[in-house]
Amino acid sequence: MCGIVGAIAKRNVVPILLEGLKQLEYRGYDSAGVAVLNGHLQRVRSTGRVAELEKLTQAQGLSGAIGIAHTRWATHGVPSEKNAHPHVSGGVSVVHNGIIENHEELRAKLRAQGYEFVSDTDTEVIAHLVHSNLKAGAGLFDAVRNSVAELVGAYAIAVVSESDPSRLVVARMGAPLLLGVGDGENFAASDASALLQVTRRMIYLEEGDVVDIRLGGFQIWDTNGKRVERKVHVSELAADAVELGPYRHFMQKEIFEQPGAAANTLEMVTNARSISPRLFGAEAEAILRRIDSVLILACGTSYHAGVVARYWIEAIAGLPCNVEIASEYRYRASVPNPRALVVTISQSGETADTIAALNHAKSLGHAFCLTICNVAESALVRQSDLRFLTRAGPEIGVASTKAFTTQLAALVLLTAVLAKQRGRITVEREAELIHALRHLPAALSHVLQVEPSIKTWAARFAVREHALFLGRGIHYPIALEGALKLKEISYIHAEAYPAGELKHGPLALVDSNMPVVAIAPRDALLEKLKSNMQEVRARGGELYVLADQDAHIEASDGVHVITLTDHAGILSPILHTIPLQLLAYHTALARGNDVDKPRNLAKSVTVE
């Protein structure tokens, strides 16, 4: 959840470090800090945003040709200057992403050696460990390698030391870290976006890698202590892809990028005559013929995408499908099925709970794994036999938007492939689906035009403290996603229920102060939903209805209706997502919240 940048060059690296932190601030914004070597170790830290850190570095004239920087999302210890990274110990400075599970044991050991701790973080033990190994006679690289051998947990670290100002040492285990390859200068970061300012050549480190970085190059050792080479990738990310442009917030930008993101994700299908298993990898056809069920593992918004997919996969492909919250799955006694296809879904591909869940599934004998992800070189993609890249582009806003809709698009394709292999979809139906997918970007653009009406709703929601979202069937997980978006960035308490469950408890909450959002597509459950809506009105509740044009739901006193498009069939959940995202965005805006950086949250959840 935190962000790391490191640099070694023949120029002042402070501007590079600060610009990198600005690009990584979505990963954590409780505090930030930078440390450089310029004859001696200099460190500046601040609570709050990177902008405050930048002012301090300018005021102090901070400069150096080698340095590390960090933006933090608090795990151990409250947000404060003393807990901000980098941490130091006798000329050693460390930044760290992840959680060290044995930090208490290491703290006791180091205290016995005379080390004093000034922070509440687990990270400080790493700085003292490295320093203790330096005192024992090791060079900086070996001191870091010996130190990480004692760590239990997840980490990505970058280390510099006054004792060796010519090198930067980095290591990773369970948290993302990559190298940026420059010309006579080199870099490290937890995300490629931080380094686009200086290079497009990236090396994605593997689990257990430790790297010795110098001006002229670098050397990588793997978890077995062997020198290895890692492939250099040229990033396809454009620098302006992580810039705000004319929008007020990244979330707004990313909502409006969804037609293009969907078009890019579906490009290989919409220009084809059929949907091929090879979309998911060269071995997909053989693997998918051997499966007899699907197990989806995901967290948060990606979990909601998985719940939508369960409806599609069971109804269209005729395969049993189970969806598990990844953070819960590995802590219960489940019944494994080696013939199930394990599908992991993640925007970043570095979600710690989902990675752990995939490893647990493999340990139980699950042999077939597919990842749906937005990042090509992520841990989940590398650990899966099959993969589908969503091509949404970088998503900076903490509240996921275009990642979700492109995940749904990918899951439609998976459903179609599974149905086709099982003989449950005709050639004519496949052609109809391809046509619908080809039209999806235009349909998304059309739905975005409801924004002015959503703004009117948002003004009403902004003065409320609670909201209820209702959906039926496949639109129930869309109601869940709508409630999640509203609570994430507006801080309004929101709950979602299958509309049929109203009378089994939630109806007790309904009164004139509880806005109720109903997702009302013209499907087989529409009449049932209309009855549920009448239950709300009978108790004085105010309804906000998202309806298809042919749903025949009219606005009236206490019933506010926004009509979208004609019913979009199986793609309806994707379209109904858009106004819920806009509602959350404009409600948060009306309440004066920091939309892209909501309190207590960060984008990439790389810790358990």
Side-chain angles (χ1 to χ4, degrees), residues 174-374:
L177 196 65
L178 56 89
L179 305 181
V181 183
D183 295 322
E185 56 186 18
N186 290 292
F187 311 91
S190 46
D191 191 308
S193 61
L195 301 182
L196 291 175
Q197 55 170 318
V198 287
T199 184
R200 301 176 68 83
R201 292 185 292 161
M202 313 285 183
I203 294 176
Y204 294 86
L205 299 178
E206 300 287 342
E207 291 284 80
D209 281 356
V210 185
V211 190
D212 184 9
I213 305 173
R214 299 198 184 202
L215 272 176
F218 48 84
Q219 295 179 333
I220 304 173
W221 277 262
D222 67 12
T223 190
N224 297 315
K226 294 181 179 179
R227 175 89 182 274
V228 293
E229 300 288 333
R230 301 286 185 218
K231 183 179 178 181
V232 177
H233 299 264
V234 178
S235 175
E236 296 180 1
L237 274 179
D240 59 1
V242 292
E243 294 175 357
L244 194 55
Y247 296 94
R248 290 185 65 181
H249 299 93
F250 280 105
M251 183 177 180
Q252 182 188 32
K253 177 189 179 189
E254 288 152 12
I255 289 172
F256 279 86
E257 285 177 338
Q258 287 176 109
N264 291 337
T265 297
L266 295 169
E267 182 180 18
M268 290 182 291
V269 175
T270 54
N271 294 322
R273 294 184 178 180
S274 64
I275 301 173
S276 168
R278 292 183 66 86
L279 290 168
F280 298 92
E283 300 175 356
E285 185 167 9
I287 287 175
L288 296 182
R289 288 196 182 280
R290 298 172 62 186
I291 67 165
D292 63 7
S293 61
V294 177
L295 169 63
I296 297 176
L297 305 173
C299 299
T301 287
S302 297
Y303 169 77
H304 296 158
V307 179
V308 173
R310 178 173 60 193
Y311 286 89
W312 284 332
I313 290 169
E314 294 199 343
I316 299 171
L319 279 171
C321 181
N322 190 26
V323 188
E324 294 268 5
I325 297 173
S327 58
E328 293 292 320
Y329 167 68
R330 72 188 181 111
Y331 294 113
R332 73 178 188 86
S334 59
V335 179
N337 174 11
R339 293 190 62 190
L341 174 68
V342 178
V343 179
T344 56
I345 310 172
S346 169
Q347 187 281 138
S348 68
E350 302 288 350
T351 307
D353 289 316
T354 308
I355 293 171
L358 175 59
N359 291 334
H360 178 65
K362 289 180 175 179
S363 74
L364 294 177
H366 287 284
F368 311 123
C369 306
L370 161 68
T371 284
I372 293 173
C373 183
N374 194 38

Side-chain angles (χ1 to χ4, degrees), residues 9 46 68 99 123 162 245 321 385 428 465 496 510 575:
S46 71
I68 54 178
I99 291 179
T123 302
E162 288 178 344
C321 181
D385 308 308
E428 293 77 17
E465 294 302 326
V510 172
L575 299 184

Side-chain angles (χ1 to χ4, degrees), residues 300-302 304 399 469 478-490 492 494-496 584:
T301 287
S302 297
H304 296 158
F469 288 70
I478 301 304
L480 286 170
E481 177 62 11
L484 176 62
K485 286 290 157 286
L486 189 68
K487 69 182 97 174
E488 277 183 313
I489 60 171
S490 76
I492 293 172
E495 298 290 345

Side-chain angles (χ1 to χ4, degrees), residues 548-563:
D548 291 342
Q549 287 182 345
D550 45 2
H552 305 297
I553 298 176
E554 302 296 330
S556 61
D557 183 40
V559 180
H560 312 277
V561 181
I562 292 177
T563 54

